[in-house]
Amino acid sequence: MTAASTTLRIGLPSGSLQEPTFALFAKAGFNISGASRSYKPSVDDPELTIRLLRAQEISRYVQHGFLDCGLTGKDWIANNGSDVAVLAEMTFSKVSNKPTRWVIAVPEDSNIKTVQDLQGKVIATEAVEMTRSFLAKHGVTAEVEFSWGATEVKVPDLVDAIVDVTETGSSLRANKLRILETIMESSPQFIANHGALKDDWKKAKIEKLVLLLQGAFAARDKVGLKMNLPEGKLIDLLKALPSLRNPTVSHLAGSEWVAVETIIDESVVREIIPQLKALGAEGIIEYPLNKVVY
């Protein structure tokens, strides 16, 4: 095989998604460095070549084969109309673990109350094609212009409405805007070029990478718990223990005690540990997880 055929070219998003994306790759076992100095960061896997790009561009480069695969938002795949294979969806962002939303927003005191009221109006957005498609489905014709940024401040002086992305809605409220309609919910998606998936080596490498990333994503907000307790108290403890799967129970050598191990949501740990202690558990150990592979 040539060097090119044994190298997977991956596009990762710069900007707000860069930090959580790098953290996800690190949990999956791939440490990326040098991103602050170059759009070509290093990674501790010689079979990977990473390019940092705007999320808006990645799906186009994957479709046309300049990249074999990449991580980008569902929104930009739709806005670009990109023909790519979607292999996994992982809902994360810099702010929360909820999908982001593309919404139509208007001034709080605007007479625009429905999507149909946008007929003949001027709308500013970065997601021009997505917005036009949404309006067309509702039989609305409006002037949709590209916004280079600071979209919230353009209403009402420059445009009648905007289409912008939000996670919490706080920025819109701060600019005295109200949400008229949600156009799309979006999460990061791992995508691949159709041609790359026809190459046996690249397909296998992509599948391994996706497996590890999904395992790292599944492990977010979960922890492992280990504990010992008298066997006679096991049934009561199992009834109280929320478990990802049936917990592992094993007998301790030469005693009537058992060891129990399970995976639970980190958010319930502070509630469940005192309860487990009251049920007779001892030697309770909580430990972080890097991957959970189903």
Side-chain angles (χ1 to χ4, degrees):
M1 285 188 178
T2 64
S5 65
T6 56
T7 302
L8 196 68
R9 297 163 297 173
I10 307 176
L12 297 183
S14 57
S16 63
L17 272 181
Q18 180 176 317
E19 184 178 338
T21 296
F22 282 16
L24 180 67
F25 268 72
K27 290 195 73 172
F30 303 94
N31 295 302
I32 302 170
S33 59
S36 61
R37 299 181 299 276
S38 171
Y39 76 97
K40 299 179 180 179
S42 301
V43 59
D44 58 352
D45 183 338
E47 295 178 340
L48 301 182
T49 297
I50 292 178
R51 294 291 180 266
L52 280 179
L53 299 163
R54 296 176 76 234
Q56 294 90 323
E57 303 174 297
I58 290 175
S59 70
R60 292 191 294 107
Y61 288 125
V62 171
Q63 176 183 348
H64 296 299
F66 298 110
L67 297 170
D68 297 310
C69 56
L71 191 71
T72 187
K74 177 182 178 182
D75 46 2
W76 297 117
I77 301 171
N79 193 65
N80 294 333
S82 298
D83 181 14
V84 294
V86 177
L87 304 182
E89 183 169 38
M90 292 167 277
T91 305
F92 67 91
S93 70
K94 185 177 181 180
V95 177
S96 70
N97 294 335
K98 297 180 180 180
T100 56
R101 292 188 298 152
W102 281 92
V103 299
I104 303 172
V106 297
E108 291 176 346
D109 58 357
S110 171
N111 292 326
I112 299 172
K113 305 298 182 183
T114 69
V115 174
Q116 281 66 37
D117 293 336
L118 293 169
Q119 179 70 31
K121 303 297 185 182
V122 180
I123 303 171
T125 183
E126 190 176 358
V128 172
E129 295 306 320
M130 185 196 311
T131 302
R132 286 175 177 164
S133 176
F134 178 84
L135 294 175
K137 290 178 182 177
H138 288 76
V140 173
T141 301
E143 181 181 344
V144 183
E145 63 178 39
F146 182 81
S147 175
W148 293 95
T151 308
E152 300 99 325
V153 304
K154 296 180 179 179
V155 282
D157 298 328
L158 302 177
V159 298
D160 300 297
I162 65 170
V163 172
D164 207 1
V165 66
T166 182
E167 292 185 43
T168 65
S170 59
S171 180
L172 296 175
R173 291 190 294 271
N175 284 278
K176 299 186 182 304
L177 300 175
R178 60 178 166 85
I179 294 175
L180 184 70
E181 188 80 36
T182 296
I183 288 182
M184 168 184 277
E185 288 192 345
S186 177
S187 297
Q189 296 187 331
F190 194 93
I191 60 175
N193 173 269
H194 290 296
L197 293 177
K198 294 178 181 178
D199 179 290
D200 290 341
W201 184 88
K202 289 184 178 181
K203 181 175 185 290
K205 185 69 175 180
I206 290 171
E207 288 175 345
K208 291 176 183 177
L209 179 59
V210 170
L211 176 69
L212 293 171
L213 288 173
Q214 287 181 312
F217 181 75
R220 284 163 42 107
D221 304 321
K222 296 188 183 298
V223 295
L225 277 184
K226 291 182 178 181
M227 68 205 78
N228 299 330
L229 77 157
E231 187 173 8
K233 297 183 178 181
L234 178 60
I235 293 177
D236 290 338
L237 183 137
L238 293 180
K239 290 178 181 179
L241 187 63
S243 176
L244 181 65
R245 290 288 187 268
N246 290 330
T248 300
V249 179
S250 55
H251 285 82
L252 299 180
S255 74
E256 295 181 352
W257 284 62
V258 293
V260 178
E261 186 168 4
T262 191
I263 296 171
I264 64 172
D265 292 332
E266 187 175 17
S267 59
V268 305
V269 168
R270 66 183 183 185
E271 304 295 336
I272 196 68
I273 286 183
Q275 185 179 358
L276 297 175
K277 181 67 175 176
L279 289 169
E282 296 183 4
I284 302 172
I285 300 173
E286 174 190 346
Y287 56 92
L289 302 171
N290 281 331
K291 301 175 193 67
V292 176
V293 179
Y294 296 103

